[in-house]
Amino acid sequence: MAIQQRRERERAQRHQLIVQAARELAETEGWGAVTTRRLAERIEYSQPVLYSHFAGKGAIVNAVALEGFAELAAATRLARTKATQVAQATETTQAAQATHVSQTAAGEGTQHAALLAVARAYAAFARANPALYDAMFTLATDLSFGSMDSPQPLKDAFVELLAVFGPLAGPDGDPETFTEVGWSALHGLVTLDRDGRLRDGDGYQDQRIALLIARLAGEVPK
């Protein structure tokens, strides 16, 4: 039993080593540089050992993408939690000082703060991890999205988006569909920005994100 457990632990460590090496190589040289030969050299194992873990580059990309979704879920969850706590604390203070602050208005303020924080965290994640983001959304993959069979990291990432976009769907709307629309708009902004298709500098991207969130929340410019 002890020998079997050690072998399983060593295999898991090699698996993670391959995934990490692929991520590092992709971030520094692009996904075109990620080959089984380069990875084998980088981790100092033979190519047959690498193939014992992954059938090919596509399987490695899938593994990297799954890690990315797990990390995205964690980043957006942290952003949502912190923003919610700060907004609730602020609203509690305001409510104590001004009795005219309604509970509905307070709830909407917290919801807006959480959504904006998640959108900013999403954009920051994509900008900080371009090759990882490509593995998640651009490169060919056989991962199942939007279904009961989707891997848990994909579901976890979507749940975090659903938590902030979903409430904006309204009583007659479908929260998941609204979330898909909001996510698509955010992804579009992120992709155009990181590919240099939009104005850079002077906080333009943050302004765009804030405007997107305001419109999705139904705010009308005065």
Side-chain angles (χ1 to χ4, degrees), residues 41-160:
E41 293 173 353
R42 197 177 184 93
I43 65 175
E44 299 181 338
Y45 280 101
S46 66
Q47 289 191 57
V49 170
L50 192 148
Y51 279 117
S52 73
H53 287 266
F54 298 99
K57 182 176 178 178
I60 296 172
V61 171
N62 287 348
V64 170
L66 288 176
E67 275 200 354
F69 280 107
E71 292 173 14
L72 177 61
T76 51
R77 184 182 305 113
L78 179 62
R80 176 175 59 84
T81 301
K82 285 187 174 181
T84 298
Q85 292 173 342
V86 171
Q88 289 177 339
T90 300
E91 287 162 358
T92 298
T93 301
Q94 292 176 341
Q97 297 174 349
T99 55
H100 66 275
V101 176
S102 70
Q103 186 173 3
T104 300
E108 291 176 349
T110 298
Q111 177 182 306
H112 187 280
L115 176 54
L116 184 57
V118 166
R120 286 171 171 164
Y122 185 102
F125 177 88
R127 181 176 281 268
N129 307 279
L132 179 59
Y133 197 81
D134 281 341
M136 296 162 65
F137 295 108
T138 304
L139 301 182
T141 179
D142 57 8
L143 294 177
S144 175
F145 287 79
S147 72
M148 295 297 293
D149 296 328
S150 296
Q152 194 60 44
L154 275 64
K155 293 179 180 179
D156 292 342
F158 186 76
V159 163
E160 288 305 315

Side-chain angles (χ1 to χ4, degrees), residues 79-80 83 109-123 164-165 168 186 205-214:
R80 176 175 59 84
T110 298
Q111 177 182 306
H112 187 280
L115 176 54
L116 184 57
V118 166
R120 286 171 171 164
Y122 185 102
V164 290
F165 280 112
L168 299 178
L186 180 59
Q205 182 68 345
D206 195 61
Q207 292 176 37
R208 288 187 285 263
I209 290 173
L211 179 61
L212 171 64
I213 298 310

